[in-house]
Amino acid sequence: MTTTLAHSRIHPRTHSHSHTRSRARDWAEIQERMLVPLYEAVYDRLGVGPGTRMLGLECGSGLALLMAAARGAAVTGCEPDEQRLALARERLLPEPQWGVPPGGRARTRLLLGTPDRLPRPVPAEPFNLVTALDPATAPGTLTPVLAAAARLAGHGAPVVLAGWGPSERCATGRVLRMTARLTEQRVRLSGRDDLEELARAAGLRPDGSGRVSCPFGYPDMDSAVRGLVSTGLFDAAVAATDQQQVDKELAEALHPYRGGDGTVRMDNVFRYVIARA
């Protein structure tokens, strides 16, 4: 059996509330920044700026939204993980919301859940960009979310999906082989046409793609283990064994990528597809 790896952000058998909060913090402080080259490449290609009305799906702790807002975009984010969303609010919606005039409309909105729960009107004008930039999001859960988001976008608006690149160019994929050993399942990061198939399943038309180098770099082994665990890609292994065993196996798998100064670096290539609503 082959399983395409995707995260399950909270596993009821293995994660306490304090653990999920800690893992969300590790994602925000260690791992999320690894995707900055991907965010920048997408925003540069699509010319994200003051005229952009962006809806970010699975927006995590909000770094991609923050980068778009810094370019002048009005951003709305949806995130099912309460702990990650709380961190996004800290980044994007400090209290009070400085710069929002009395009675004015904020240019940033964050919602727990999926786009079908957005308050009406959503928005006064349709979104002209929708993004799903977390490569670890499970395709099965994302398809209906994308379909709902596309209905909130203007005709022909770009919908951007991100995923892992070719397995031979993703060092993280080799590290993930330890999950296959612990779960007794064959695993893969993604297939060649997964993003296009996901777009079509959501009623979208693929209209271009790109590849971006996103190396994962960490100051030490502890940060590398915590950062990778925060992605959720190792949840199946944790469920099959326990967190301590996974941390140990992960550190061993990362050993070939550890430098003489103790830093850890893995080269990865990510792929994105631009589809049209």
Side-chain angles (χ1 to χ4, degrees):
M1 177 178 179
T2 300
T3 301
T4 299
L5 285 176
H7 64 61
S8 173
R9 292 182 181 166
I10 300 175
H11 193 289
R13 288 175 50 203
T14 58
H15 297 114
S16 66
H17 181 76
S18 61
H19 181 83
T20 57
R21 182 168 60 246
S22 174
R23 194 166 78 160
R25 182 71 64 176
D26 286 343
W27 169 261
E29 297 180 354
I30 300 173
Q31 191 65 31
E32 192 174 20
R33 63 184 175 84
M34 310 299 178
L35 298 178
V36 164
L38 170 65
Y39 303 156
E40 289 181 337
V42 170
Y43 295 166
D44 286 345
R45 179 162 177 173
L46 295 176
V48 171
T52 303
R53 299 179 299 280
M54 174 177 148
L55 172 60
L57 307 176
E58 305 270 346
C59 68
S61 50
L63 182 57
L65 297 180
L66 186 66
M67 292 173 60
R71 292 170 172 244
V75 297
T76 298
C78 298
E79 170 56 46
D81 185 320
E82 292 185 31
Q83 303 301 329
R84 288 192 181 190
L85 189 67
L87 295 173
R89 290 193 178 106
E90 290 180 14
R91 279 176 165 167
L92 288 147
L93 296 174
E95 295 293 342
Q97 284 187 250
W98 305 113
V100 179
R105 297 183 61 186
R107 289 178 58 80
T108 300
R109 291 192 296 180
L110 298 173
L111 174 77
L112 177 65
T114 53
D116 57 292
R117 295 184 55 206
L118 280 167
R120 303 295 176 178
V122 190
E125 296 179 90
F127 294 107
N128 55 20
L129 171 62
V130 177
T131 62
L133 299 179
D134 184 350
T137 301
T141 62
L142 190 55
T143 301
V145 174
L146 280 172
R151 291 192 289 270
L152 302 174
H155 178 71
V159 179
V160 186
L161 316 176
W164 296 85
S167 58
E168 66 273 13
R169 298 188 64 185
C170 292
T172 302
R174 293 187 284 276
V175 172
L176 281 165
R177 290 173 186 167
M178 53 83 69
T179 295
R181 185 172 66 256
L182 294 177
T183 61
E184 298 183 351
Q185 292 180 332
R186 293 174 55 205
V187 297
R188 64 186 176 94
L189 286 173
S190 61
R192 178 179 177 181
D193 299 318
D194 282 3
L195 295 177
E196 284 84 355
E197 292 173 3
L198 175 59
R200 294 188 183 99
L204 305 170
R205 174 176 55 87
D207 188 33
S209 63
R211 291 183 179 181
V212 184
S213 174
C214 292
F216 288 3
Y218 310 92
D220 51 50
M221 185 62 72
D222 178 67
S223 295
V225 171
R226 287 164 51 205
L228 288 171
V229 167
S230 76
T231 65
L233 291 172
F234 297 89
D235 285 0
V238 173
T241 56
D242 57 60
Q243 188 67 60
Q244 185 176 8
Q245 178 69 16
V246 169
D247 289 353
K248 176 179 177 294
E249 297 271 355
L250 184 51
E252 292 177 358
L254 287 169
H255 184 74
Y257 304 100
R258 186 176 186 180
D261 58 356
T263 60
V264 178
R265 177 188 170 95
M266 294 180 291
D267 291 322
N268 297 294
V269 170
F270 285 85
R271 185 167 179 265
Y272 66 88
V273 164
I274 300 171
R276 298 288 171 177

